[in-house]
Amino acid sequence: MDNILKQTALTYSRNGWAVLPCVCKEKKPATKHGVKDASINIDKIEKWWGNNSQFNIGIATGPISGFFVLDVDGPHGKETLTSLEGQHGKLPETVVAETKNGWHLYFQMPAGIDIRNRQSFRPGLDVRGSGGYVLAPPSMHPSGIRYQWKVGCGPGDVKIAVAPEWLIDMIIETKKQNNSTLLQSSIVNVDIGRSGYYDQAEKRASAYLACVEPAVQGQGGHTQLLKAVIYLVNGFALDPEVALKLLEEEYNPRCIPPWDLRDPKEAKDFRRKVDQVVTKFSSQPKGWLLNDKSENIKAGAEMAKQLLDSFEGYQKNKDNKKMQKNSEKRSKLKVIQASDIQMRPIRWLMKPMLAVGHMCILASVAGVGKSLVTIQLAAIISRGDFWPWEPNEKPPVGDVLILAGEDSLQETIGPRLKIAGADLERIRVVESTLAYDDKKKSIKERMVSLETDIDQLREYLKKYPEICAFIVDPISTYLGDCNMNRCNEVRSILQPLCDLAREYDVALLVVHHNNKSLGGEIAAHQISGSTGFVDIARTAFSVRKDPEQEGRCLILPVKSNISKDNLGFAYRIESSEEDPDIPVVKFENEYVEMHADDMMKQFSYDDKGETDVFYNIVRVVNDLLSGDEAKSLTEIKEAVVACCGQVSDKRIRKALKDVGAITEKQSFEGGWVWKKKFDAKKATDDMILASEQKRYGSKDSLFSS
């Protein structure tokens, strides 16, 4: 059986099912990050089951494996399913696993719809989707019974079916119910001084607790339980024993998996959360949920989160100080042998620009629509659509987190996302940070800072693993007190952000500005601030107007440490058909083969970045001085003005320098003139050729024999 478990896990992975090891006779993941560690990597699976051949087999559900699972639990669940099939029709034949008392029915993930974990969406029926997992045959249930495929319904017997619309609608309808609506029918406002306070408070707390997300092992389960305790002990000011009873009877059964309170060790761990809140949060405000007339669960959730974050931040600070005091004793090098490195290829969300777990800088001057570009990219990712230049490669569908500080959500970002065809359910926009004010004992709203809010971002990405891209537009808005011109300060902000992207498999797109002056031939030098911005990014792209085609813009590579750096993209900004006042980006279907530096060398930019006019000035000057005749500055200026209009002497002198012209004195009394620089090599070659022609005759005679 030991060998069978490993071979079965490998077979599942070859089918594209992401597997993870779980503790034998338990549903608990055996890895540090739980379901986030699920993989189809053969070497990783061999290592897991090589370390412990009796591990149960967990299969991650959701987009990662391409299916969700309907969990029919016990006789109650079977009765519910029979009743639903009587109303809506039989479920299609699909892959089915037999559990201890019920079934696991496998269905394909529907296109464009995010099925997530749902607990008891109908009596006895659960769903395991995005961020969830199930045990698969031949894993062993805690009771000692092994999971097995239903006869004739195993993966080799039938295909995973498409779920009927009525089942999808039922799951989605349950998901979309507003928490405040759930509360309105069962919660009444309570005055602390009113008689019967404890009974009413307990009743309201119970209804509130029913709307709180369950603790999921491997996905911050302990933190989620701690939040639930805060709601009860601080939010509703319940007695700790009353809170503990509610949690044990009403909240724990919904957790995945529940704490086994019969086990003294687990019961002690469960109780410790209540004791921790009573001890650590005793000085914090209480009862803020009792008279919340808005009946909005989000308000209480944010308050509890802020209390928890402030405590964890304080605790982390305290621990850091202790570490610093004992750094010499505690510090040691972390070294890994090259043979132990888990190697993997670069995973692209949008090749060659956006790589999973890496940072990309997108920089330009104002007026080329770089924010519009990020909107269009977010829309394509949210739909899981094809990239225009890669019609045969479809990126995985995923959620996009946007941190945008320059545009209005209601008037700009929202309408633009809608016009771009984004799946708005998959776009999340960070508005601000809600921070607890110790002095005023209240929550205040402030701008997000990457200097102080990196832990809050980490918690959010951890909570929503479906997020695959994070856009920061522009980065300069969120740097806090960081000096953009100091490399060490820039790195201190960007490195934790890059680590975050790597930890949670997110493609990070950072929008930045170019310097106002566009002189020079190296695009990387034009990006504002310290070189740390470009150095720490794995890819960097520059957005520029095409000097040869009006209305066309180019996204050209500045650097790439993980791919070739000669492929870019082209686009135009057009008015949308639905609303002419809202612009939309239209990408071209082919790559642009050019590096940003090549464009800089080919088209010299003047101080204001106006390439088209300056290019014409250079062309006129070059043609005028193409012969041996020298020209005065007045003659050159007349020719330029005739072709390009009024131009400053400074720009003409820059053009003369670019074509390699030099000044010389015509005569002792004459003025200064401009001519092309003397080419000694060309002159020597001409002299040799003239000498040979004089000696041997015409040039052709040299080859006539």
Side-chain angles (χ1 to χ4, degrees):
M1 178 56 70
D2 296 348
N3 190 47
I4 290 176
L5 284 165
K6 183 173 78 171
Q7 293 304 320
T8 305
L10 290 169
T11 300
Y12 293 156
S13 71
R14 293 187 187 102
N15 288 338
W17 297 3
V19 303
L20 68 150
C22 294
V23 179
C24 181
K25 289 189 178 183
E26 292 187 37
K27 298 180 180 180
K28 182 167 66 174
T31 60
K32 182 179 179 180
H33 301 107
V35 71
K36 287 181 177 291
D37 291 324
S39 175
I40 59 172
N41 184 288
I42 301 297
D43 294 337
K44 190 177 286 188
I45 295 168
E46 292 266 13
K47 188 174 181 180
W48 281 336
W49 271 270
N51 292 337
N52 189 330
S53 59
Q54 296 184 357
F55 277 150
N56 275 342
I57 303 172
I59 298 180
T61 52
I64 190 172
S65 296
F67 56 76
F68 71 93
V69 171
L70 177 65
D71 184 0
V72 183
D73 192 14
H76 200 21
K78 292 178 180 179
E79 288 176 13
T80 301
L81 184 60
T82 302
S83 174
L84 290 174
E85 285 184 319
Q87 298 174 42
H88 303 282
K90 288 279 187 181
L91 289 174
E93 185 179 50
T94 190
V95 173
V96 180
E98 294 181 338
T99 63
K100 180 191 175 187
N101 295 313
W103 306 310
H104 284 167
L105 282 70
Y106 290 62
F107 292 103
Q108 294 179 24
M109 282 293 285
I113 300 177
D114 188 18
I115 303 294
R116 304 189 184 184
N117 296 327
R118 306 301 303 167
Q119 190 82 8
S120 300
F121 75 97
R122 289 293 186 275
L125 300 182
D126 301 333
V127 172
R128 295 290 176 266
S130 298
Y133 68 96
V134 293
L135 290 186
S139 299
M140 185 176 289
H141 189 272
S143 63
I145 297 174
R146 288 198 178 274
Y147 290 75
Q148 60 183 5
W149 297 113
K150 189 176 181 181
V151 177
C153 294
D157 303 319
V158 295
K159 292 183 177 180
I160 296 178
V162 175
E165 288 187 12
W166 63 263
L167 179 59
I168 298 294
D169 291 342
M170 196 173 291
I171 296 169
I172 297 300
E173 179 188 357
T174 306
K175 171 188 170 183
K176 287 187 175 180
Q177 283 181 351
N178 188 283
N179 285 325
S180 61
T181 305
L182 293 173
L183 291 170
Q184 285 172 2
S185 60
S186 56
I187 298 179
V188 293
N189 291 320
V190 181
D191 187 348
I192 294 181
R194 190 179 302 171
S195 59
Y197 151 70
Y198 283 110
D199 291 339
Q200 294 184 59
E202 186 176 343
K203 179 182 177 183
R204 179 168 182 175
S206 174
Y208 194 99
L209 194 62
C211 301
V212 175
E213 291 186 8
V216 180
Q217 191 171 40
Q219 298 181 36
H222 285 275
T223 301
Q224 185 58 32
L225 174 58
L226 198 58
K227 289 180 183 178
V229 178
I230 293 174
Y231 296 148
L232 302 185
V233 176
N234 281 70
F236 288 100
L238 292 185
D239 180 83
E241 292 302 323
V242 174
L244 179 63
K245 182 181 177 184
L246 277 175
L247 289 163
E248 290 178 343
E249 295 179 356
E250 300 181 16
Y251 184 70
N252 185 49
R254 295 196 292 117
C255 296
I256 307 172
W259 273 261
D260 185 0
L261 300 179
R262 296 169 299 178
D263 182 341
K265 186 177 178 181
E266 292 203 27
K268 182 180 178 181
D269 179 55
F270 195 85
R271 173 63 190 251
R272 186 166 56 85
K273 293 293 184 288
V274 178
D275 295 338
Q276 192 174 359
V277 170
V278 172
T279 305
K280 304 294 184 183
F281 295 87
S282 58
S283 61
Q284 300 293 353
K286 288 185 171 63
W288 74 81
L289 288 173
L290 291 172
N291 292 296
D292 180 11
K293 299 184 185 298
S294 66
E295 297 180 347
N296 182 2
I297 190 173
K298 290 183 179 178
E302 288 297 341
M303 182 67 177
K305 182 180 183 302
Q306 291 302 323
L307 285 177
L308 186 63
D309 288 344
S310 63
F311 168 70
E312 289 179 342
Y314 168 78
Q315 197 65 36
K316 188 176 287 186
N317 248 351
K318 200 173 173 184
D319 294 341
N320 285 342
K321 286 178 180 177
K322 286 181 181 178
M323 283 287 287
Q324 287 172 7
K325 287 180 181 178
N326 302 291
S327 59
E328 290 185 4
K329 297 178 182 178
R330 294 172 180 257
S331 299
K332 63 178 181 179
L333 292 176
K334 181 181 179 182
V335 180
I336 185 170
Q337 214 166 349
S339 58
D340 293 332
I341 296 173
Q342 294 288 329
M343 301 183 189
R344 66 182 182 191
I346 298 294
R347 294 163 294 162
W348 291 101
L349 191 61
M350 172 186 159
K351 193 173 183 179
M353 187 171 168
L354 298 178
V356 175
H358 296 286
M359 171 179 154
C360 171
I361 285 273
L362 183 67
S364 79
V365 292
V368 293
K370 57 183 178 293
S371 293
L372 272 174
V373 169
T374 63
I375 290 289
Q376 192 64 36
L377 297 181
I380 293 173
I381 293 169
S382 71
R383 299 194 306 265
D385 208 349
F386 292 99
W387 298 112
W389 46 85
E390 287 289 356
N392 298 321
E393 292 186 19
K394 193 173 185 179
V397 64
D399 287 12
V400 181
L401 183 64
I402 299 176
L403 188 56
E406 291 187 341
D407 295 317
S408 164
L409 296 182
Q410 294 77 18
E411 298 171 355
T412 305
I413 295 176
R416 286 180 177 181
L417 283 167
K418 184 178 179 182
I419 290 295
D423 180 352
L424 300 182
E425 291 285 333
R426 287 191 170 275
I427 306 290
R428 305 161 187 267
V429 184
V430 183
E431 290 187 84
S432 60
T433 297
L434 297 174
Y436 183 73
D437 190 328
D438 289 318
K439 293 181 179 179
K440 296 182 179 179
K441 304 296 182 184
S442 63
I443 299 290
K444 69 175 182 179
E445 192 171 357
R446 61 168 172 79
M447 179 179 285
V448 176
S449 169
L450 295 175
E451 194 173 21
T452 58
D453 296 332
I454 197 72
D455 288 336
Q456 283 80 353
L457 283 169
R458 176 177 283 103
E459 283 298 320
Y460 196 84
L461 292 175
K462 185 177 181 180
K463 185 176 180 180
Y464 297 102
E466 56 271 26
I467 294 173
C468 67
F470 180 25
I471 298 171
V472 183
D473 180 15
I475 185 69
S476 55
T477 302
Y478 304 102
L479 293 177
D481 296 328
C482 168
N483 186 334
M484 286 194 353
N485 296 310
R486 292 184 177 274
C487 187
N488 60 331
E489 291 190 29
V490 169
R491 281 183 171 274
S492 70
I493 300 294
L494 295 185
Q495 189 59 59
L497 195 60
C498 292
D499 294 342
L500 204 62
R502 192 176 299 109
E503 183 179 357
Y504 292 101
D505 285 343
V506 171
L508 176 61
L509 178 59
V510 170
V511 177
H512 197 28
H513 297 297
N514 271 346
N515 297 315
K516 291 182 180 179
S517 172
L518 287 179
E521 296 182 349
I522 301 177
H525 293 173
Q526 296 176 356
I527 296 176
S528 294
S530 159
T531 57
F533 285 104
V534 178
D535 294 343
I536 203 166
R538 297 300 84 195
T539 60
F541 282 75
S542 177
V543 187
R544 298 180 177 276
K545 291 180 180 178
D546 188 338
E548 296 185 310
Q549 294 187 39
E550 187 176 355
R552 186 176 189 241
C553 293
L554 304 174
I555 305 173
L556 300 179
V558 174
K559 69 163 271 187
S560 178
N561 295 88
I562 51 179
S563 69
K564 293 181 179 180
D565 60 356
N566 64 341
L567 291 181
F569 317 94
Y571 68 90
R572 293 178 182 273
I573 298 175
E574 302 175 359
S575 295
S576 65
E577 296 178 1
E578 296 178 39
D579 188 339
D581 292 332
I582 300 178
V584 64
V585 164
K586 297 291 185 183
F587 284 111
E588 293 184 5
N589 294 334
E590 301 291 336
Y591 284 111
V592 176
E593 295 189 26
M594 182 183 288
H595 190 282
D597 289 353
D598 297 333
M599 183 177 181
M600 296 290 296
K601 293 170 185 175
Q602 186 175 351
F603 304 103
S604 299
Y605 278 73
D606 72 342
D607 290 340
K608 296 182 180 179
E610 300 168 353
T611 60
D612 47 357
V613 174
F614 188 68
Y615 175 72
N616 286 332
I617 297 171
V618 172
R619 181 177 56 78
V620 171
V621 170
N622 190 58
D623 291 345
L624 193 63
L625 300 179
S626 58
D628 294 331
E629 188 179 354
K631 300 289 182 182
S632 69
L633 184 62
T634 302
E635 292 174 312
I636 295 170
K637 186 171 182 178
E638 287 174 354
V640 170
V641 170
C643 178
C644 306
Q646 289 298 323
V647 177
S648 68
D649 287 354
K650 181 181 176 182
R651 298 181 79 187
I652 293 176
R653 289 179 185 277
K654 188 176 188 307
L656 285 163
K657 183 179 178 181
D658 280 6
V659 300
I662 59 171
T663 57
E664 67 176 25
K665 195 84 161 157
Q666 265 187 327
S667 64
F668 183 75
E669 295 179 353
W672 290 90
V673 293
W674 290 84
K675 63 181 294 184
K676 284 287 189 70
K677 190 182 295 185
F678 177 71
D679 191 335
K681 184 178 185 303
K682 184 177 184 301
T684 303
D685 291 342
D686 289 345
M687 287 174 62
I688 293 172
L689 180 60
S691 175
E692 289 182 344
Q693 285 178 341
K694 185 176 180 181
R695 183 176 180 182
Y696 298 107
S698 69
K699 184 179 177 181
D700 294 337
S701 65
L702 296 173
F703 306 98
S704 58
S705 60

